[in-house]
Amino acid sequence: MNLSTYSACRSPLLRVLDVVDRYPKDEILQLINSRYVSCTGLISMSSSSILSRLWCLQTLVVGGELTLPSEIWQMPQLRHVQARRISLPDPPSRGEKITVLENLQTLSIVKDFKCTKEVTKRIPNLKKLGIVCPTIGSYSLSNLGFFHKLESLSLAFVGTRGRGPRGNMVFPSSLKKLVLSECKIPWEDMSIVGSLPNLEVLKLQSNAAVGQKWISNEGEFARLKYLLIHECELEIWESENTHFPCLEQMHLGTVSLKEIPSDFAEILPLQVIDLYRCKSSLLASVKEVSEERENLGYDALQIRSSVFALLTISVQRGINLALGNGRSRDPYAVVRMSKQILKTHVVRKTVNPEWHDDLTVAVLDPSQPVSVTVYDKNMFSADEKMGDAEFDIRPFVQAFKMHPNALPNGTITTRILPSSSNCLSEESFIFWKDDYLMQDMCLGLRNIESGQVKLQLRWIDIPGDEDS
């Protein structure tokens, strides 16, 4: 879309606006029929009575900072609100009309989120929540447990010092994915996480946990499939095979850990262990566990000790997916890179699903393409394929070699045009934003009559391994 010639007043019936560049706020507010708005830059809607003009809006995605007015609490049609940072006002006082945002499923990333009981009552069906807080213990995080339908939570503290929150945090039992950063939870208190009965993905990043020794307990992490520990204090880990019975993938980075528990050789589902910036003794320990697995008659581990980088693929939405025999669709997407396979959640009864799932793969060989396949979930038969696409990450590698961290925020480094050699359905941009190299792309699905998938990629560079 050419923003120099486009004006919202020319298309008052526009339902979807999705642009890479900054977009004038006044133009956005003219799109009274839009259901989906996505753009970059800083957007302030804090003035009274402006957001209510977008009475059809269901999804708002901003690749920058977003300031919302109190009217946000009077928009029951909202389903997804995402931005790099969201300033969310307090709900109106009890004397005013109370509206429950029953359709709101995604709210991320909110800075200084005040998790009061009143807030939890206003957004009871929230499934995905991202929070950034300046201090530990000042925003009623014990009320997180009242989000009974929450499945994905990302919680980060910035500028924190001293000890962690300990008993101040209560997580809902419905959680399937949990990402923690700078929470400083002592390893001996990790039971508050391990006791979550439905947890499948756990990422402990940047001092999420502190202390030298972790002793896991029987009956914890019963369904955990994916574990990442990065830049956390940890030297000794004692555990048994029954403590992580469903673990499939483990990523350890920038830790002082010298060995993994030997009992991990008996975790049958365990397939992959990634190591980066770790001691050579840890690599030797992982190899011993893999050999022991073979002696027990299990498959050897896939050990990846020189990860090139991490690639976070935000699978945002599907567009006009193909109808099947006149019935409704329940689509989900599968991302594959080499032997790594990750899936989004299933969205029921739609051909325009809103996923907004972040999937992270380890880049071992940048020449390997990444494939995206969409399936229709079936209850009583095999899931039906709804098309596929793939993309090349080598332009990402070339852009990173340009040292983009020296560029101004928002700089576009590379433009990639659709061609017969790629699956792009429109021009794609690689750009430097908020200390990350990113790329927005829209892929046209192959082997099907219609359908597109919107993605956003984020490149996370991994320094070389440490041997000491």
Side-chain angles (χ1 to χ4, degrees), residues 427-445:
E427 191 174 12
S428 179
F429 301 86
I430 299 175
F431 53 96
W432 180 254
K433 183 71 174 178
D434 298 330
D435 297 326
Y436 287 104
L437 192 65
M438 308 178 74
Q439 181 176 4
D440 287 328
M441 62 173 60
C442 184
L443 301 177
L445 296 176

Side-chain angles (χ1 to χ4, degrees), residues 360-403:
T360 301
V361 296
V363 180
L364 302 175
D365 181 359
S367 67
Q368 291 290 321
V370 179
S371 69
V372 181
T373 307
V374 179
Y375 291 91
D376 178 26
K377 184 68 175 179
N378 292 319
M379 293 294 293
F380 304 107
S381 61
D383 295 348
E384 181 182 350
K385 189 175 179 179
M386 299 176 65
D388 65 273
E390 67 177 26
F391 59 89
D392 186 0
I393 67 170
R394 285 177 292 187
F396 235 177
V397 178
Q398 294 302 319
F400 191 81
K401 290 180 179 179
M402 296 169 57
H403 303 288

Side-chain angles (χ1 to χ4, degrees), residues 1-7 17 19-24 27 39:
M1 179 180 292
N2 187 343
L3 296 181
S4 63
T5 60
Y6 177 78
S7 174
L17 174 69
V19 295
V20 173
D21 300 313
R22 295 175 181 269
Y23 197 77
E27 292 285 339
C39 57

Side-chain angles (χ1 to χ4, degrees), residues 3-31:
L3 296 181
S4 63
T5 60
Y6 177 78
S7 174
C9 61
R10 298 181 185 178
S11 302
L13 300 179
L14 189 68
R15 295 286 186 90
V16 175
L17 174 69
D18 196 339
V19 295
V20 173
D21 300 313
R22 295 175 181 269
Y23 197 77
K25 180 185 71 176
D26 292 340
E27 292 285 339
I28 293 176
L29 298 176
Q30 300 298 318
L31 303 173

Side-chain angles (χ1 to χ4, degrees), residues 273-277 283 303-309 362-365 462-465:
I273 296 182
D274 286 329
L275 306 174
Y276 43 90
R277 292 185 64 85
L283 174 58
I303 303 170
R304 303 185 296 209
S305 60
S306 56
V307 177
F308 188 83
V363 180
L364 302 175
D365 181 359
I462 302 298
D465 293 348

Side-chain angles (χ1 to χ4, degrees), residues 73-247:
W73 298 104
Q74 304 295 330
M75 298 182 68
Q77 76 279 9
L78 277 177
R79 297 182 180 179
H80 307 281
V81 180
Q82 283 191 294
R84 290 296 169 195
R85 290 291 187 272
I86 299 173
S87 295
L88 182 69
D90 295 334
S93 61
R94 293 174 180 257
E96 302 181 35
K97 180 181 178 181
I98 296 178
T99 300
V100 177
L101 307 187
E102 294 184 352
N103 293 315
L104 190 62
Q105 299 180 25
T106 303
L107 185 61
S108 181
I109 301 169
V110 185
K111 64 179 182 180
D112 305 345
F113 182 64
K114 297 178 182 178
C115 188
T116 63
K117 289 184 179 180
E118 179 65 22
V119 168
T120 64
K121 292 177 181 178
R122 293 294 188 96
I123 46 179
N125 298 319
L126 204 62
K127 291 185 177 179
K128 180 178 181 180
L129 175 63
I131 304 172
V132 173
C133 295
T135 57
I136 290 174
S138 58
Y139 290 97
S140 304
L141 294 180
S142 59
N143 292 326
L144 287 170
F146 290 105
F147 287 117
H148 299 299
K149 296 186 179 181
L150 194 65
E151 296 181 357
S152 176
L153 173 64
S154 176
L155 175 60
F157 293 95
V158 293
T160 58
R161 294 182 179 179
R163 71 176 195 173
R166 294 185 181 270
N168 186 56
M169 291 191 297
V170 177
F171 299 118
S173 60
S174 55
L175 276 182
K176 294 182 178 179
K177 178 179 180 180
L178 180 60
V179 181
L180 300 176
S181 178
E182 295 293 345
C183 295
K184 297 183 172 66
I185 301 174
W187 286 112
E188 58 264 28
D189 292 341
M190 194 52 63
S191 291
I192 64 172
V193 176
S195 60
L196 296 173
N198 297 300
L199 191 66
E200 296 180 356
V201 176
L202 175 61
K203 297 182 180 181
L204 303 173
Q205 304 172 339
S206 302
N207 293 317
V210 293
Q212 296 182 342
K213 190 173 184 178
W214 183 17
I215 304 176
S216 57
N217 299 316
E218 186 75 30
E220 297 180 348
F221 301 102
R223 294 187 179 181
L224 194 70
K225 297 179 180 179
Y226 179 103
L227 174 62
L228 180 145
I229 304 175
H230 182 70
E231 293 184 347
C232 294
E233 295 179 11
L234 182 61
E235 295 185 9
I236 301 171
W237 187 1
E238 295 181 6
S239 180
E240 299 178 10
N241 62 303
T242 56
H243 295 182
F244 297 85
C246 296
L247 190 63

